Amino acid sequence: MQGTRLDTARIRAARRLIDPVFLDTPLYRCEALEPALGCSVSIKLETANPVRSFKGRGTEVVASLLAEHGRRAVVCASAGNLGQALAWSGRSRGLDVTVVASRSAPVAKLDRIRALGARLELVDGDFDRARERAADLARHDGIRLVEDSLDLETCEGAATIGLELVESTPPFDAVLIALGGGAMATGVGHVIKALAPGVEVICVQPVGAPAMTYSWRERRVITTESTDTIADGVAGRCPIPAVLDDLLLVADDAVLVREASIVAGMRMLLHHGGLVVEPSAALGVAAIQENRDRFAGRHVVTIVCGSNVDVDAYHRWVGATS
Amino acid sequence: MQGTRLDTARIRAARRLIDPVFLDTPLYRCEALEPALGCSVSIKLETANPVRSFKGRGTEVVASLLAEHGRRAVVCASAGNLGQALAWSGRSRGLDVTVVASRSAPVAKLDRIRALGARLELVDGDFDRARERAADLARHDGIRLVEDSLDLETCEGAATIGLELVESTPPFDAVLIALGGGAMATGVGHVIKALAPGVEVICVQPVGAPAMTYSWRERRVITTESTDTIADGVAGRCPIPAVLDDLLLVADDAVLVREASIVAGMRMLLHHGGLVVEPSAALGVAAIQENRDRFAGRHVVTIVCGSNVDVDAYHRWVGATS
């Protein structure tokens, strides 16, 4: 494999910086899902931890290194999960954490960021507006800006999921990864291609937020004017060039799924898996549903990457009856 | 500690018989629950595995030993979770598994028992009727009867949860354990009292199914005529004397909680923890709610022991809005 920015040895080392509460997460066959999906499905569950998403893996690396170098403050833009995770990781290390988020982010995510002691600044507009504001703050205050997916710690933290996957038995044929900024996709993808290159790495994005998928397909950055999806965790418009370069090296495919499929995926994970998930975490199941022939008879792992939802919105999407 | 029937060395050895998919389950602080409960709460999550309950720990021990001794068939009575777990554990070891359950058990549990390849026999009446029928079948067919909570494998399998708890940091002050037949309570309680005797072991049962709690309080077996609770997993009427003897040695307390508290507990675990749980798994949170002063300022672990619910019933209990 041609080199990504990531490094497998550094990813192994990153494990030692991460609080064990985020590591060695459950990985198990969910047979109850299989009749409806037509393939073997294993779930890698990243929601059973203090911040209910995989983002703690990356923020633990970020915060460990900041504390080690005597830094006292950090700022990030977040769709909600990174901010929560950075607040959690920063708190135990005495870091002042500022999170910039869109005013339209889920209330549950914003409440948790505040509850974890971070300073929360809300901006009008979407995640990419929050990124601009976070960069302004970092410049003005002279503090570290954490840029999700661009900063290697975020990718290599997420990549520890990949280490756990490749060490698992039985082997699997494909892994479905929610694609937003690309930290998880490039991280897990790097490890898979380095250590289990026969496994297909498939990124999944909503039709309503397709910028990175379009960019991957065209092999150049393509931005979009807006996004329109319930999957708030992956709703970016402006792919980062360096992340796209990595993604081009590790992703075998990038597919888009419809909103109805995301909702159907959330419903299936509830009914057949007993799991409440946020929309981004249902992208994998949505992709299987839309591409049954492609996965028929294969063993597919889907990373259930977060469960931070506003419960009322969840009920509206998933419905109160079967 | 005066001796229970259980043995700590054998419990350590049991870990090696259990498929790792059931071991080293998530244990994490759930701070979002804490403002409402007034204490520190950690969740030990036993639902992220192929059978969505802790019962696999026990059935793995049972099935391993049966297979080792060349046995081919096994029968159990089950409220639903043991049967699923025994079906799963027996399948991979070539065992013929028969499960006897009440016709009124949750459909989701019965469907999964069948899907896992077990023979399912339904009886009119409750779990204790199923126990009688399973015993008859075992006698008639000359096959092994697995008696949950009486058979040491079921207790010592569940006890491996206790090993994981006592090895965790930070330490905790009390553990809340759903009390049904008593396998989990005596198993986890044995390990706690052997290895972390300062931790309070508190069993929790519904007011509507209080037989074991009454028995523990009176120090003699007390049966009840009927049960009336949504917590189907713990709804027994006829405590087993040997299990009560063990429980008397390891439980610091046994408390009863109201149905409304169980529902409120399920709702809190959904809204603040993002967890869908079956009623039995909400008993711990229910107990904290009913005894806030007792737990104020302490660090409490609650074992979330199962998530097998009929989704429609779950929606009825928990409601579609906050």
Side-chain angles (χ1 to χ4, degrees), chain A residues 21 26-29 31-32 45 48-50 52 88 91 112 116 270-274 276 311-312 315 319-322, chain B residues 21 26-29 31-32 45 48-50 52 88 91 112 116 270-274 276 311-312 315 319-322:
Chain A
V21 78
L27 173 64
Y28 59 100
R29 277 277 297 276
E31 290 182 56
L45 191 71
N49 65 52
R52 292 168 52 180
W88 192 93
R91 185 178 61 177
R112 293 305 308 152
L116 289 164
L270 172 64
H271 282 257
H272 302 302
V276 169
V311 173
D312 289 349
H315 281 306
T321 59
S322 52
Chain B
V21 79
L27 173 65
Y28 59 100
R29 277 276 295 277
E31 290 183 55
L45 191 71
N49 65 53
R52 292 169 52 181
W88 192 93
R91 185 179 61 177
R112 292 306 307 152
L116 288 163
L270 172 64
H271 282 257
H272 303 301
V276 169
V311 173
D312 289 349
H315 281 306
T321 60
S322 52

Side-chain angles (χ1 to χ4, degrees), chain B residues 59-129:
Chain B
T59 58
E60 284 290 286
V61 181
V62 168
S64 293
L65 295 175
L66 280 171
E68 195 179 294
H69 293 100
R71 304 290 292 268
R72 302 295 304 276
V74 58
V75 59
C76 74
S78 172
N81 282 340
L82 181 76
Q84 242 184 100
L86 189 61
W88 192 93
S89 295
R91 185 179 61 177
S92 61
R93 295 172 177 92
L95 296 171
D96 285 330
V97 176
T98 300
V99 178
V100 184
S102 163
R103 208 174 295 283
S104 62
V107 173
K109 292 181 177 178
L110 300 179
D111 284 349
R112 292 306 307 152
I113 291 168
R114 288 190 196 94
L116 288 163
R119 191 170 80 83
L120 177 64
E121 181 172 320
L122 297 178
V123 298
D124 296 321
D126 65 8
F127 172 66
D128 289 295
R129 286 277 165 275

